[in-house]
Amino acid sequence: MLLLWLGCGGSSEHGSLRAVLVPVDTIHLQEPDTLFLGEFISVTATLDPFRLYVPDFRLSRVVVYDSLGRPLQVIGRPGFDEPGTLLRPYYVLVLGPRLYVQEAYNRISLFTTAGEFLGRRRLPAGYDPYYPFHALSDQRLLVVSVAYQEPCSLPTEPACRETRVVSEVDTSLSRVWRRWGTFPELYQKHALAPRQATLDVLSQASLVAMGYTLDPSLYLYAVTDSGGVFKRRIVLEHPAWRNPTEEMTVDLALNHRARWEALMLQSSQVRGVYFVADTLVLVHFDNLAPGYFRAPQQRDYTRVLPYGVLVSISGTWQQALELPGPVLGRDEAFHLYIRLSDEPDRRLIGRFRVEVRR
């Protein structure tokens, strides 16, 4: 069995520990003539029975596969206002018998797992989601979002200490219960346009891991009845991480596109954080490769160099990892789903687990 050995790092106290990324299987997504794929940047996997939900933002539909990569179902179709239509879906959350499909323009469509359209939602007025929804319980969801009524809510200016990051919402998406989390010092000093965050939830422990796009750190929060309580920040160690060389402002992105793209190619960006065990988190970051920016508003998501850092939640151990491809998601058994090939008719997704050995 092929093992991908991780580079050693972290404290000498745990110097005898080494982690390996163990391949479990490879899923070849079959594309018959009547059902080919466009583009996707995430997958959602459920177990017992295994189902892989692939939100295709190019063709505006969600394709469901079994463990052998056979397409079983198509949910949604391209469109704008008609019931059951989707507009560039990017993420899927499966919560019991329901699917939450996050689309362009902050729209959320709800379906049953059988594909029945249940309606269309948005967060309450004044709130917009940035990244995928995560289930905190069967009654509450967490989502990185913006609240426009908060001070310094837009990236045209530095964030304030009062600018919150995470919304805790009910499953009907009709109420924001509370907001918590603050932007790191980097974002409070500079007006940085890539101001998103990403998170993962260990629901049984009410623990949340968070990362911010341009900050090489992991942040841990405990979720209590009063919201998220900050636990610790862990600074990441990886030789491939590249800090921005100058302020990456909204004005630069809008009015000086060539310079903006050059800076993006020179800067690392945190793409996701994933619990891979009860006490271990993977932080996935990318360095963009030439050719990533194809044209205005068009990007080649395969033109990235993916890296990872494994971190213990105690902060006493971490280890660098060169990933075999971009991480697309994880399942409840802590398996990672990693893109191995995006060639048409040869789209391969590897399922991996992390093992720590002495």
Side-chain angles (χ1 to χ4, degrees), residues 124-194:
Y127 299 89
D128 276 331
Y130 273 157
Y131 269 99
F133 286 92
H134 292 265
L136 181 61
S137 68
D138 58 1
Q139 300 294 324
R140 300 286 177 92
L141 306 177
L142 295 181
V143 63
V144 172
S145 57
V146 61
Y148 296 107
Q149 71 273 20
E150 291 177 351
C152 319
S153 60
L154 296 177
T156 51
E157 58 184 329
C160 308
R161 293 193 63 83
E162 298 81 13
T163 313
R164 298 293 176 251
V165 181
V166 178
S167 290
E168 192 173 328
V169 303
D170 66 356
T171 53
S172 70
L173 306 184
S174 61
R175 179 179 178 184
V176 176
W177 289 92
R178 57 182 65 88
R179 282 179 56 78
W180 48 265
T182 56
F183 281 96
E185 184 178 357
L186 172 70
Y187 288 89
Q188 296 184 35
K189 286 184 175 181
H190 306 285
L192 299 171

Side-chain angles (χ1 to χ4, degrees), residues 48-73:
D48 194 26
F50 180 90
R51 294 292 183 265
L52 189 72
Y53 296 83
V54 179
D56 185 338
F57 67 84
R58 184 65 61 195
L59 299 179
S60 290
R61 60 191 182 185
V62 177
V63 185
V64 187
Y65 295 87
D66 66 10
S67 60
L68 299 178
R70 297 176 298 196
L72 303 177
Q73 183 183 10

Side-chain angles (χ1 to χ4, degrees), residues 77-98:
R77 65 186 190 279
F80 191 76
D81 289 325
E82 299 84 1
T85 58
L86 293 173
L87 183 64
R88 295 179 66 84
Y90 289 97
Y91 306 107
V92 172
L93 169 67
V94 182
L95 186 63
R98 283 190 170 193

Side-chain angles (χ1 to χ4, degrees), residues 262-301:
L263 285 173
M264 291 285 283
L265 290 171
Q266 297 166 16
S267 305
S268 298
Q269 299 171 62
V270 173
R271 295 300 188 189
V273 295
Y274 305 93
F275 282 99
V276 294
D278 290 335
T279 59
L280 197 62
V281 178
L282 173 71
V283 181
H284 162 215
F285 71 89
D286 285 340
N287 289 336
L288 305 184
Y292 177 82
F293 296 102
R294 295 185 296 197
Q297 306 302 320
Q298 292 187 16
R299 301 178 179 185
D300 185 346
Y301 292 100

Side-chain angles (χ1 to χ4, degrees), residues 24-25 27 43-53 64-67 94-96 113 329-337 351-353:
V24 176
D25 56 23
I27 303 169
V43 300
T44 298
T46 61
L47 308 176
D48 194 26
F50 180 90
R51 294 292 183 265
L52 189 72
Y53 296 83
V64 187
Y65 295 87
D66 66 10
S67 60
V94 182
L95 186 63
T113 51
R330 76 157 177 96
D331 64 28
E332 61 186 19
F334 299 123
H335 295 127
L336 294 170
Y337 293 78
R351 180 161 53 164
F352 294 82
R353 70 175 186 272

